[in-house]
Amino acid sequence: MFDLTEVSINSSFDQKFTFEKKKEWILPSHCSIYHEDVWVINSITELKIKLNHIKSQLNDKGELWLQHTCKINKAGYVIDYIKSKIQPEILTQAWCKFYEILSTFSLLPEGVESFASAHLCEAPGAFISAINYFLHLHHPDVSWEWSANTLNPYYEGHNIRNVIVDDRLIFPTLKNWYFGESDTGDINDPDYLKNLLLYLGSKNNSISLITADGSINCLHDPSEQELITSELHFKETLIALLSLATKGTFVLKQFTFFECLTISRMYLLNCVFEEVHAFKPFSSKAGNSEVYIVCLGYLGVETFKDHLFKVFAEYGSIGEKALYSLSSIPQSFIEQISACSEYFLALQKQAIEENLQLYSMDTSLYEEKLENVKHAYASHYLRKCEIVGDDTYPSAHLFSVKKQIKTSFHDKQNKNCKLMFYQAIGETFDNLSKLKIMSWKENVLDVDRRLNLCFSTNRKRANQNLELIPLWKVVINRMKSKSYQNWLLTGKKIIAIENSKFCNPYLIHLWNRISFNSEVKEKSYRAVKHCPFDIENVMCLLKEKSEDICITFVSNSENDFIDDPLWSHLKENFNRFSSFSYSEIETQSYGNQILYVNSTLWLDSLHQEITLKNHLTVVMSHIIKKLKIGDHLIICVQSLLMRYTVGLIFLIMSLFDKFVCLLPTPGAPAACGQLWIFKNFQNPAWTERLVIYLETILKIDLIESKEVLQIVPISSLCGSLFYEFILELNNEHMQQRLRSLTICEKNEIKLL
């Protein structure tokens, strides 16, 4: 079962099928492109049926199965062994896989002083980091230029199941990443695909290596993994073939070789490259279908330009048509693709059967031997890939240590991010199947269980930050810029917030599972009958010796202050108070004034931020004009999850001397927001510029499908004390809202 012989270990690192190119392997004529309906090859379809039968044995396996396969993974210690030698920028399983590919094939051009690479669907950037170390070790004098594409982790409309939010490498190398006019980075979007081709085309055919590591979550239908991902892989292939330099190399993630489009694409690759290999890295989990197609020696886009342009131009408009007719693909290729399928099917079948056998056994029966196997294979990996200790490597990193930042997906109570992902989302076929048939009661209980499993109930922030925080210098320094217009970023309109750099995305996932559900009606989570904030804390932060302070409620509509319980308390504590519409605020001639804005009253919803951000900008542009030195401002916002609204707070904060943010008291309804208190307006040099900037934002005329996504660069919002404050605040607030909502729902269905 655990073979430690030299033959066995070597064979684990040589799981490769090399296509033997034949003279008759030439590109089909144009008339065979998208001419036939999708076809099947019966003998290959039988292999698909056989594999799905094997995989179906895993359908009833839950999260314990995932823990089991991780535990018995022979490559389980490879990352630890690498860490003992070097400290790459980002070390993941993907790093190990690609470094193994780099060490097995000659991917980089030889005898050159410089080269360029492009990386598709690359997040979090492990392939790039692996190349960097490989160059440092073997080609230290070669100059390297790289660019990359991926689903933008900062675009709040991407579902957490699809986007990789780990931006440890992306953030400090942001200038190398291209997200397009939509700001999504989604190559499944036809407009973005064209943008990306133009962007890569601007490199003047200098790109000698392109990698494509894209995939799609297929757990809802694992039997059709290849079919579900085939279009993505086809688009990656088209991008590569239209952008790659002659003699260049292309590395593509692939799963199985059963479908019409895959077989046609593999034939295309074999026609336009000198060599094509299918390779299963040892560090890739043995039980999955993942392989990498390594294509060496590109014959050049000029040779096949007409053919590729026809394929690209007609793709997507031809319906269910095959790329090539079956008769145009030689039988010799069909035989080789069949042999390739059989080879990797046998490897996967063996791995799954071994995993199942061990799953039913007491771990004590093989634990010691498994430990020896893991150590032996990890040692062999280091020798084969020539990983050696190097104290000079950190100086060659892609970015300096100073540019490293915190990540939003990390929780202090749970440092195992992969485990946290499974605990929060439950990504197994069995769990997804159950989710489809869950009752509302079961859904609420499941969200509640996962929330408590992933996040501590210990409220550390409850009595913190009662003192005003002096404005950070990083905010002041950034606002000295006079080119605010360059900060603006527009893109595809966000329909729902499904991800955020400013909150743990697993919290947002759990929140969306129940807050959008049709079962959530007009209940007590919206009806705020009592003041949701500790009024003593609020007054402690606001009260000053002067009795001339006037507090003003800034209304959005007539009499909306009637519904605000905090306002009634504030009036009782000040001698002077008034209420004005935001467009009619009067500048007080006496003492200092406090302006109070409660945007949570403007819309009856649990998801106000996505709708109100523009109107909040309107109100703020009016208010800032009326402020004078020493004035204070209170803003209540329901949430701060989007780059736009976080940027707006950043801009407002820059005008004041101190600030603090209070969260609702425990047990407050889920609709309650955050109370931001800004003290002592300073009227800095940039106040007038800021007002003009806000008015400019509001005047931008965009088509219906686009909106302003960012008004302060993400590089300014992150990587500082400001970001750490916002992240901790939002994580605490989102947990509070979630627990309030689940308690409310459990009360409704009599579960408490």
Side-chain angles (χ1 to χ4, degrees), residues 464-468 531-544 549 551 564-567 569-571 573-574 594-596 632-636 660-665 673-679:
Q464 287 183 346
N465 299 326
L466 293 182
E467 295 183 0
L468 290 160
C531 181
F533 300 100
D534 188 324
I535 191 63
E536 290 186 7
N537 286 340
V538 174
M539 292 311 304
C540 179
L541 294 164
L542 290 178
K543 271 294 187 181
E544 295 182 352
I549 293 179
I551 187 162
D564 187 349
L566 176 59
W567 174 240
H569 285 280
L570 291 174
K571 287 192 300 182
N573 285 275
F574 287 92
I594 301 173
L595 298 181
Y596 170 47
H632 313 316
L633 176 63
I634 305 174
I635 309 174
C636 189
V660 74
C661 184
L662 299 180
L663 293 181
T665 53
Q674 307 170 2
L675 195 70
W676 285 82
I677 299 175
F678 301 101
K679 293 207 70 175

Side-chain angles (χ1 to χ4, degrees), residues 295-427:
C295 308
L296 307 173
Y298 185 42
L299 300 179
V301 66
E302 293 300 325
T303 309
F304 313 104
K305 182 179 288 185
D306 292 343
H307 187 94
L308 293 174
F309 281 179
K310 180 174 176 59
V311 170
F312 180 74
E314 297 187 18
Y315 178 72
S317 62
I318 39 75
E320 293 296 317
K321 295 289 184 180
L323 172 58
Y324 300 135
S325 60
L326 181 56
S327 60
S328 67
I329 301 178
Q331 183 60 30
S332 57
F333 178 78
I334 299 298
E335 290 172 357
Q336 289 198 36
I337 199 76
S338 298
C340 179
S341 294
E342 289 179 357
Y343 172 69
F344 288 108
L345 169 61
L347 292 176
Q348 189 175 358
K349 176 177 180 292
Q350 179 183 353
I352 291 175
E353 289 175 344
E354 183 177 282
N355 289 349
L356 286 168
Q357 182 182 356
L358 294 173
Y359 191 60
S360 61
M361 292 174 59
D362 184 342
T363 56
S364 63
L365 298 176
Y366 60 81
E367 198 163 25
E368 183 177 348
K369 191 170 185 180
L370 176 60
E371 286 292 300
N372 294 334
V373 166
K374 287 182 177 180
H375 286 294
Y377 277 81
S379 296
H380 186 83
Y381 180 98
L382 294 189
R383 290 194 299 273
K384 182 182 185 302
C385 297
E386 300 179 339
I387 304 286
V388 294
D390 189 346
D391 294 336
T392 66
Y393 178 54
S395 64
H397 273 190
L398 294 163
F399 55 88
S400 68
V401 175
K402 293 180 180 179
K403 291 187 177 181
Q404 290 180 339
I405 62 166
K406 285 192 173 184
T407 53
S408 58
F409 64 89
H410 176 71
D411 183 80
K412 293 178 181 178
Q413 304 301 320
N414 192 339
K415 294 186 178 181
N416 188 332
C417 298
K418 183 174 289 187
L419 176 61
M420 191 174 185
F421 178 90
Y422 288 123
Q423 288 177 339
I425 298 181
E427 285 285 70

Side-chain angles (χ1 to χ4, degrees), residues 195-215:
N195 289 341
L196 180 61
L197 282 168
L198 289 172
Y199 171 75
L200 295 176
S202 68
K203 307 293 182 181
N204 299 319
N205 293 323
S206 64
I207 303 172
S208 54
L209 169 64
I210 293 181
T211 67
D213 198 32
S215 186

Side-chain angles (χ1 to χ4, degrees), residues 58 61-70 72 285 351-352 354-357 359 428:
L58 310 180
K61 300 294 185 291
E63 294 169 51
L64 290 177
W65 172 257
L66 294 170
Q67 296 175 29
H68 165 72
T69 55
C70 288
I72 66 170
K285 273 196 172 182
I352 291 175
E354 183 177 282
N355 289 349
L356 286 168
Q357 182 182 356
Y359 191 60
T428 66

Side-chain angles (χ1 to χ4, degrees), residues 455-733:
F455 300 96
S456 169
T457 57
N458 181 23
R459 288 177 52 84
K460 291 186 177 181
R461 281 192 100 262
N463 295 311
Q464 287 183 346
N465 299 326
L466 293 182
E467 295 183 0
L468 290 160
I469 302 171
L471 182 64
W472 297 301
K473 288 184 179 180
V474 66
V475 178
I476 298 173
N477 292 338
R478 197 66 182 100
M479 290 303 298
K480 289 179 180 178
S481 168
K482 295 184 180 180
S483 56
Y484 297 164
Q485 279 76 5
N486 297 331
W487 292 4
L488 272 175
L489 183 66
T490 63
K492 184 178 179 182
K493 182 174 287 187
I494 296 169
I495 306 303
I497 301 172
E498 300 195 65
N499 174 45
S500 173
K501 174 63 183 170
F502 307 101
C503 181
N504 190 298
Y506 306 138
L507 281 168
I508 298 176
H509 167 78
L510 294 173
W511 168 257
N512 287 344
R513 267 189 62 183
I514 56 174
S515 64
F516 279 108
N517 197 289
S518 59
E519 292 287 337
V520 178
K521 308 284 196 247
E522 297 289 333
K523 297 175 184 171
S524 60
Y525 59 78
R526 290 184 188 170
V528 185
K529 298 177 181 178
H530 305 287
C531 181
F533 300 100
D534 188 324
I535 191 63
E536 290 186 7
N537 286 340
V538 174
M539 292 311 304
C540 179
L541 294 164
L542 290 178
K543 271 294 187 181
E544 295 182 352
K545 293 180 180 179
S546 172
E547 296 182 357
D548 290 330
I549 293 179
C550 177
I551 187 162
T552 301
F553 185 96
V554 182
S555 62
N556 177 60
S557 59
E558 188 176 358
N559 297 328
D560 62 359
F561 57 84
I562 295 174
D563 298 321
D564 187 349
L566 176 59
W567 174 240
S568 62
H569 285 280
L570 291 174
K571 287 192 300 182
E572 293 173 1
N573 285 275
F574 287 92
N575 295 329
R576 299 176 181 271
F577 57 87
S578 60
S579 174
F580 290 99
S581 166
Y582 67 85
S583 59
E584 300 172 344
I585 303 171
E586 295 183 358
T587 302
Q588 302 296 334
S589 59
Y590 48 83
N592 296 334
Q593 65 176 334
I594 301 173
L595 298 181
Y596 170 47
V597 179
N598 188 350
S599 66
T600 64
L601 300 174
W602 300 350
L603 186 67
D604 189 15
S605 168
L606 284 173
H607 308 92
Q608 295 180 2
E609 182 177 353
I610 201 166
T611 306
L612 294 180
K613 57 190 181 70
N614 283 355
H615 191 56
L616 186 59
T617 307
V618 173
V619 174
M620 288 300 109
S621 67
H622 280 83
I623 286 178
I624 293 171
K625 294 176 186 177
K626 299 294 184 178
L627 291 170
K628 64 181 190 305
I629 293 177
D631 284 348
H632 313 316
L633 176 63
I634 305 174
I635 309 174
C636 189
V637 291
Q638 191 183 75
S639 61
L640 284 176
L641 301 175
M642 305 179 76
R643 286 173 287 172
Y644 186 107
T645 39
V646 172
L648 186 58
I649 291 294
F650 183 95
L651 296 175
I652 295 167
M653 176 185 292
S654 73
L655 303 174
F656 293 84
D657 178 40
K658 297 178 181 180
F659 75 96
V660 74
C661 184
L662 299 180
L663 293 181
T665 53
C672 293
Q674 307 170 2
L675 195 70
W676 285 82
I677 299 175
F678 301 101
K679 293 207 70 175
N680 297 328
F681 175 67
Q682 298 295 295
N683 196 17
W686 55 82
T687 303
E688 186 176 346
R689 295 201 307 268
L690 177 53
V691 172
I692 295 172
Y693 180 48
L694 294 179
E695 291 174 344
T696 301
I697 293 168
L698 295 168
K699 291 176 183 176
I700 292 177
D701 187 19
L702 297 170
I703 59 175
E704 181 63 26
S705 61
K706 298 190 74 174
E707 68 176 336
V708 177
L709 299 174
Q710 178 177 289
I711 59 177
V712 175
I714 193 73
S715 56
S716 298
L717 299 179
C718 304
S720 66
L721 291 173
F722 173 82
Y723 177 68
E724 293 180 22
F725 181 87
I726 290 283
L727 180 60
E728 184 180 356
L729 177 82
N730 282 338
N731 284 342
E732 175 71 18
H733 190 211

